Amino acid sequence: MMHFKNLRAAAAGLLIVGAAQFAYATEAAKSGVGESWPTYSGDYSGQRFSSLAQIDRSNVKHLTLAWAARLEGGADTGGGGPFAPPRPPTIVGGEIEKAVVTGGLFSSGAPISIRGAILQVDGMLYVSAPDNAWAIDAATGKVAWHFYWKTKGGTHTSNKGMGIHKNWLFMETADDYLVSLDARTGAERWHKEIANFNEQYFAEAAPIVIGNHVLVGAGNDSDAAGAVRSFDPETGVLQWTLHTVPMKQGDAGLETWPSLDAARHGGGNVWASGSYDPETKLYIVGTGNPSPAYVPRGRDGDNLFTCSLIAVNVETGKLAWYYQTSPHDTHDWDSAQTPVLVDAEFAGKPRKLVLQATRNGHFFVLDRTTGEHLLTTRFAQWGKWVKEINKKGQPVRDPARDASVAGSLVSIDGWTNWPPPSFSPQTGLFYVRNLESYGLLYYTEKDPQGAMGLGGIARGGQVSLGSIIQAIDYRTGKAVWQRHFGPGDGMLGALSTGMLTTAGGLLFSTDTTENFIAFDAQTGESLWHTRLHGVSNAAESYGIEGRQFILVAAGDMVYAFSLYE
Amino acid sequence: MIRRTIAAAVAGLWALAASGAEPAPKTPDGTVADFSRPAQDPAAVERGKQVFSVNCGFCHGSGARGGEGGPNLLRSPIVLNDQKGEILLAIVQVGRPDKGMPKFNLGADAVSDIAAYLHSIPAGSVQAEVDPRAIIVGNAKAGEKYFFGKGRCGQCHSLKTGGDLAGIGSKYDPKTLQDHIVSGGAVTMLGARSPTAPARAAKVTRSNGEVISGTLLSIDDFNVTLIDAAGARRSFRRNGAAPLVEVKDPMQAHMDMLREWEDRDIHDLNAFLVKQK
C-alpha cells in the first residue's frame, strides 16, 4: 500500500534508491524536498526537486483534482453566496486606520494573485498574496484563517511567500514591514520595519529562516540602496544589515562607482530570495539592477554589487564572495533569479556548485564555496547586446544597444525572471523559463543630470515570440531539450512561470495558453495536462499520510492534484 | 491628491517595475499612486520654487536633480523622509560643513515653502515622451533600398496609391511608425497580440478528410480554437499530428525579422517611410 519511494539523488545525475519507507521531512534537506515544503524553494538548495515519487511518468496520466480552494482577500471576507463554504473571520493588521487602495493590476486592491511559494508544514498550507495570508488544510483545502494587512501603499507586484520558524510565520508587506503571525491562529505577534517606505522601498520577497535568523530584502525603483537584513525570529530585533552597494568611504566595491553618492543611490536591491549552504553557512542571493536603470549617466564602472550573486555569512552578515553576472547593467536585467545549489561532478571533479540563469540571458556555473567562475553560456536566442564574454566569464554590454534617442532594439523585459527554475539530480538538468521578446528602447531624458529609477526612457514596438522551457545540462551549459510555446493567449506568453521537478521523473510547469503540464523531465514530452485559468505560481509537491499532492495556484484559486484512487 | 504622473511610454503601455517583468501599477487616471505624497499648496510650491532657485539651484540643479557639486535632492533620504520642512530646516540653517554646504539665513516659512516645492516634483521613475523629430536619424535613401531589397517589405506592402502603406508618413507620428516597423503594429502590452491584429488563418483537416477553415483564436499542443466560415466558434482536441492544423500568420514576416534587425536598418526605414506623405 505504501507508494512512496524515498529517492536520494547522488552526484552527477546518479540515483540511489533508498529505503522504501517514506521519510517524514520537516527540515530542509539537500537531497530533495520531502513531505513538507517548509521554505521558499521547499529546501534551502533552490533546486525545487521533490523526493516524492508516488506520482511518476507511468501513472501521471491518472492525476486528478483532490480539492480546489478560492481565497478571498481584503478586510471583509463575507463569503461568496449561499453555496460558498463558511469562512473564518479575518484578522486585520496594519499601522493605519484604513488601507490605501489605489487599484490597478499591480497595486493595492488588485485582484488576489497568488504568485509566491506556499508552505506546507504539519498538514497545513500557508499561502500569501500582497496584503493577505491564509492557512489552508492541506488534505481538504478548507481555509482555517485569513490575515489582512492594511497597507500604506507601495508597489504590489507580488508576494513571493512566507517563512516559518516553529509556530511563527513571517511575511513581508509592500509597505515594508516584516510581520510575524502565529501559524495556528493567524494572530499577529509583532511587525517590524524592514525598509523606509518614504524612500519608496517595497518588500515582497519570501523571508528565509535559517536557525535564529530571518533573512529579508526589499525592492526599490527610486535609486535607493539595496540590503540583506537579518531579524531575530523570536523578538523581531534587527541582527545585521548588509548593504549591496558601498555606503561609506572604504566600503568594498566603491572603486566601481564614480562617487560615493552614486554608489549610495546605486540600487542592487534584494527583492527575491536566495539559497543556503549549511556547510559553509553561506546565504547566496542575487541582487537587482543598478540605478538609475536605463540611464547610466553618473554611474560609470561595474557598479558592485548590483546584478551579482553574493554569498553572505548568516552569522556575521559579512560578504564572503561575490560574482557579478551583469557588470554595469543598462537594461534593468536584475540578477535576482534563484541560485541553485548542486553537489555534482564538474570537469571531472566533485564540486559544490551554484547555478544561475539570469535575466540577461546567460547561464552561470560557479564554485559556491569560493565564487570561482566555472562556466558561462548564453541561453538567450539573441546576443547582439553582448560585446564579449570577458576573462571572468561576464557578458560585457555593447553601449550601442543601450536606450538611444533614435531607439535601440533589445529584449526589453529580459530573458527570464524571478519565477524559479528547477534542478533535477535525477536528470542532471537545470530547467528554466526563457522568454523571447523584443522592442525599442528610447532615451528620452532631457535633464542633463540624468534620470532616476526606471525613468528617462520610453519603450515601443514590443513583440513577444512567446516562451521556451530549456533543459540545460549544467556541465556544458547547453540545452538538452527545449519546448517552444508560441506567443500564446493575451500576455501569458510574455510572463515567466516557474518549475518543479520530482523524483517521479517529472517536470511541472505551464505553456503560454492556460495549460498546467507534467513533462517527462528527461525528454520534455507532455505526459499530462489540465487547463487552469492562468497558473500564477510555480508548482510544488507535498505528502500527507502516504499520498503525494501536486499544488499550484491560478490567481485566487489553489488546486491540489493527486492520483485517482 | 497630486499624484506622480508617469507619462506612458507607448500609447497605453505601462512603465516597468524593476521587480519583475510586470508593468508598474497605474491607476485608471494615468497616474502611479503607490508612493504618492499629500497634495502641496500651489502657492507654497510657487514661493518655494523662487526661494530654491535663488539659494539652492546653483549647487543642486534647477530641477533639484543635482548640479554644481550638490547632490540630487529628489532621491535624497533626507528629502524623502521630510514632510513639511521639519528635517530640512536644521540642515538649511546649520549647513553641512563636512560636505561643503554653507548655512543659509532662511526662516521656517521659507524652508517649508522649499519643502513644498521639492515634494511637488515627482521622484523616481519619471518617463518623458519621445521627441518625434529627434528619432529620425536614418538615411532615407538607404531605407528605400532596404524596403525593396534586403528587408523584403515590398513582398507584403505597397507604397503606391491605394497601397496599404500609401501616405503612411501622414498617418502616424515618427515614433509610432518606427514602432510599427518592428511590431507590425498589432501588439499591445508586453508584446501580446492585440485584438485588432490581422487575423491568423487556420485550417484544420480531420482524419475523415473534413476541412474546417477560419480565423484562429488560440492554439496550443492540446487544443485549437477558431471561428469558422459560418461565424461559429469551434474547438478541436489535438493529439500530435492529428488533426492536421495549418496556421498562416500575416505578422510572421515581422516576427521573423526580430532576431535579424540592425538598428540602422530600422532607422533608415523609418527615415524613408516618414516621407511617404
Side-chain angles (χ1 to χ4, degrees):
Chain A
M1 193 46 213
M2 195 69 221
H3 303 298
F4 285 115
K5 283 179 216 152
N6 186 18
L7 298 180
R8 293 200 170 265
L14 290 179
L15 256 189
I16 299 164
V17 179
Q21 183 67 34
F22 180 79
Y24 191 89
T26 51
E27 273 183 77
K30 269 197 287 182
S31 53
V33 185
E35 264 195 315
S36 63
W37 191 282
T39 187
Y40 179 65
S41 299
D43 63 21
Y44 288 141
S45 72
Q47 291 183 4
R48 301 190 106 260
F49 173 75
S50 169
S51 64
L52 306 188
Q54 185 178 58
I55 301 162
D56 63 22
R57 286 180 289 191
S58 68
N59 63 18
V60 68
K61 59 180 177 285
H62 300 302
L63 203 58
T64 191
L65 186 67
W67 54 258
R70 180 184 294 279
L71 300 182
E72 289 182 80
D76 176 26
T77 49
F83 293 96
R87 297 280 173 177
T90 291
I91 300 148
V92 179
E95 287 227 322
I96 51 175
E97 197 61 34
K98 204 164 176 289
V100 176
V101 174
T102 52
L105 263 187
F106 296 107
S107 290
S108 53
I112 294 295
S113 181
I114 298 154
R115 305 192 61 196
I118 297 173
L119 303 180
Q120 197 281 118
V121 177
D122 294 338
M124 293 301 290
L125 298 172
Y126 302 103
V127 189
S128 65
D131 306 330
N132 290 277
W134 301 265
I136 303 178
D137 187 317
T140 65
K142 290 282 181 193
V143 178
W145 53 254
H146 167 234
F147 175 82
Y148 173 66
W149 177 261
K150 291 183 293 181
T151 187
K152 291 193 276 187
T155 305
H156 280 60
T157 47
S158 60
N159 185 284
K160 297 184 174 66
M162 295 192 281
I164 191 164
H165 172 75
K166 299 177 184 168
N167 287 319
W168 316 137
L169 284 169
F170 304 94
M171 92 181 271
E172 295 189 2
T173 68
D175 55 355
D176 302 317
Y177 293 98
L178 174 65
V179 181
S180 179
L181 306 175
D182 187 323
R184 295 162 296 193
T185 61
E188 183 184 327
R189 298 171 64 222
W190 44 252
H191 63 266
K192 306 287 176 183
E193 191 181 47
I194 296 172
N196 185 321
F197 182 73
N198 291 334
E199 294 170 31
Q200 304 193 7
Y201 287 98
F202 50 95
E204 55 180 19
I208 301 296
V209 180
I210 300 167
N212 69 331
H213 304 283
V214 183
L215 304 184
V216 301
N220 187 287
D221 290 334
S222 185
D223 294 0
V228 183
R229 288 186 170 84
S230 176
F231 286 82
D232 185 307
E234 296 294 343
T235 62
V237 169
L238 178 69
Q239 294 166 325
W240 51 256
T241 299
L242 175 72
H243 279 104
T244 55
V245 287
M247 295 300 283
K248 59 179 192 305
Q249 292 297 341
D251 277 359
L254 186 55
E255 69 284 0
T256 65
W257 298 87
S259 70
L260 184 59
D261 185 64
R264 289 170 62 100
H265 290 99
N269 282 279
V270 183
W271 52 264
S273 303
S275 301
Y276 177 65
D277 181 357
E279 269 181 55
T280 54
K281 296 199 181 306
L282 294 181
Y283 179 65
I284 301 174
V285 65
T287 62
N289 61 284
S291 202
Y294 300 103
V295 178
R297 196 196 143 80
R299 61 168 176 87
D300 290 347
D302 279 356
N303 308 142
L304 292 174
F305 300 93
T306 68
C307 283
S308 299
L309 272 178
I310 59 171
V312 187
N313 183 302
V314 291
E315 301 301 337
T316 64
K318 300 280 185 243
L319 184 69
W321 57 257
Y322 72 93
Y323 180 83
Q324 193 174 36
T325 47
S326 260
H328 192 77
D329 169 59
T330 52
H331 293 107
D332 187 28
W333 289 339
D334 309 87
S335 295
Q337 294 68 39
T338 306
V340 178
L341 312 187
V342 173
D343 289 349
E345 200 175 285
F346 189 88
K349 282 199 296 188
R351 300 288 297 241
K352 294 181 184 304
L353 305 172
V354 53
L355 320 179
Q356 192 188 30
T358 63
R359 200 169 171 184
N360 70 12
H362 289 72
F363 174 75
F364 296 87
V365 181
L366 310 177
D367 182 308
R368 74 168 178 272
T369 61
T370 61
E372 177 194 350
H373 172 264
L374 298 174
L375 180 75
T376 302
T377 54
R378 194 181 86 218
F379 65 86
Q381 288 69 21
W382 183 92
K384 287 181 183 175
W385 70 278
V386 184
K387 211 170 185 177
E388 59 160 343
I389 303 290
N390 68 14
K391 283 181 188 154
K392 296 177 187 168
Q394 301 164 308
V396 178
R397 119 275 189 204
D398 178 355
R401 307 283 174 175
D402 290 355
S404 62
V405 171
S408 300
L409 189 80
V410 75
S411 163
I412 294 185
D413 291 316
W415 302 95
T416 189
N417 212 314
W418 64 269
S422 180
F423 176 84
S424 165
Q426 262 183 358
T427 61
L429 299 175
F430 177 96
Y431 304 88
V432 63
R433 174 71 56 178
N434 162 210
L435 304 172
E436 187 178 9
S437 76
Y438 302 87
L440 292 166
L441 266 188
Y442 295 93
Y443 184 100
T444 59
E445 188 53 61
K446 305 283 193 300
D447 190 319
Q449 293 300 321
M452 285 178 281
L454 302 171
I457 53 117
R459 35 173 53 203
Q462 198 170 0
V463 187
S464 167
L465 295 184
S467 79
I468 301 103
I469 295 177
Q470 294 210 26
I472 296 174
D473 183 334
Y474 74 94
R475 294 167 301 185
T476 62
K478 303 240 161 66
V480 170
W481 59 258
Q482 300 188 10
R483 286 294 305 271
H484 286 253
F485 305 105
D489 295 352
M491 285 193 291
L492 290 176
L495 296 174
S496 190
T497 57
M499 306 282 146
L500 167 75
T501 53
T502 74
L506 299 168
L507 165 70
F508 288 88
S509 192
T510 64
D511 62 10
T512 54
T513 52
E514 294 184 316
N515 294 298
F516 177 53
I517 304 171
F519 300 93
D520 184 323
Q522 194 77 58
T523 64
E525 184 192 350
S526 306
L527 301 176
W528 171 90
H529 73 277
T530 187
R531 222 175 156 86
L532 302 176
H533 186 70
V535 169
S536 53
N537 78 344
E540 298 175 6
S541 187
Y542 65 90
I544 294 199
E545 295 184 323
R547 194 174 189 204
Q548 183 185 359
F549 293 83
I550 301 295
L551 184 73
V552 74
D556 61 350
M557 296 294 294
V558 180
Y559 299 93
F561 297 93
S562 60
L563 291 178
Y564 185 78
E565 289 183 327
Chain B
M1 284 279 281
I2 289 180
R3 287 172 163 174
R4 286 153 212 282
T5 302
I6 291 192
V10 190
L13 277 200
W14 300 348
L16 279 195
S19 49
E22 302 87 356
K26 195 174 151 208
T27 51
D29 62 350
T31 60
V32 169
D34 294 310
F35 293 104
S36 59
R37 279 182 177 271
Q40 306 295 324
D41 170 19
V45 170
E46 201 45 51
R47 290 193 303 270
K49 190 176 178 182
Q50 294 297 324
V51 181
F52 182 89
S53 72
V54 172
N55 294 280
C56 322
F58 181 74
C59 289
H60 292 291
S62 56
R65 287 196 193 180
E68 294 297 320
N72 182 336
L73 294 179
L74 302 182
R75 66 185 191 180
S76 151
I78 293 168
V79 175
L80 289 167
N81 283 296
D82 178 86
Q83 299 303 318
K84 294 178 171 178
E86 75 284 357
I87 302 177
L88 297 185
L89 183 62
I91 290 170
V92 169
Q93 292 187 339
V94 176
R96 303 187 89 181
D98 57 319
K99 295 181 189 293
M101 174 174 164
K103 59 182 178 186
F104 288 81
N105 190 19
L106 293 169
D109 288 350
V111 174
S112 170
D113 289 344
I114 292 174
Y117 167 60
L118 291 176
H119 298 333
S120 74
I121 306 173
S125 306
V126 181
Q127 305 200 344
E129 299 285 353
V130 168
D131 175 354
R133 289 154 307 169
I135 71 165
I136 306 168
V137 299
N139 178 320
K141 270 260 174 275
E144 180 174 12
K145 198 173 159 206
Y146 190 86
F147 187 96
F148 293 106
K150 196 178 166 200
R152 305 183 308 277
C153 311
Q155 290 185 6
C156 299
H157 298 291
S158 166
L159 295 161
K160 290 180 184 144
T161 308
D164 66 329
L165 297 186
I168 192 82
S170 306
K171 198 170 169 193
Y172 296 110
D173 68 85
K175 176 181 182 287
T176 306
L177 185 52
Q178 181 164 282
D179 291 346
H180 286 191
I181 290 172
V182 171
S183 69
V187 291
T188 171
M189 197 131 39
L190 297 182
R193 177 176 288 265
S194 115
T196 56
R200 290 170 292 178
K203 184 176 153 195
V204 175
T205 308
R206 303 177 96 169
S207 52
N208 64 5
E210 185 192 357
V211 174
I212 303 99
S213 294
T215 299
L216 183 73
L217 288 183
S218 175
I219 184 166
D220 58 38
D221 288 353
F222 314 111
N223 293 281
V224 57
T225 303
L226 52 80
I227 304 282
D228 71 13
R233 181 187 178 111
R234 300 185 65 178
S235 286
F236 303 92
R237 274 188 67 186
R238 299 184 72 198
N239 185 6
L244 179 68
V245 181
E246 294 160 272
V247 175
K248 278 206 178 121
D249 184 352
M251 300 288 296
Q252 195 59 46
H254 280 268
M255 293 165 85
D256 291 342
M257 283 300 295
L258 291 169
R259 295 178 189 169
E260 312 302 326
W261 282 117
E262 288 301 334
D263 290 343
R264 187 197 303 141
D265 296 331
I266 298 170
H267 300 156
D268 288 347
L269 262 182
N270 200 38
F272 171 59
L273 292 178
V274 294
K275 291 188 168 178
Q276 307 301 310
K277 303 288 188 188

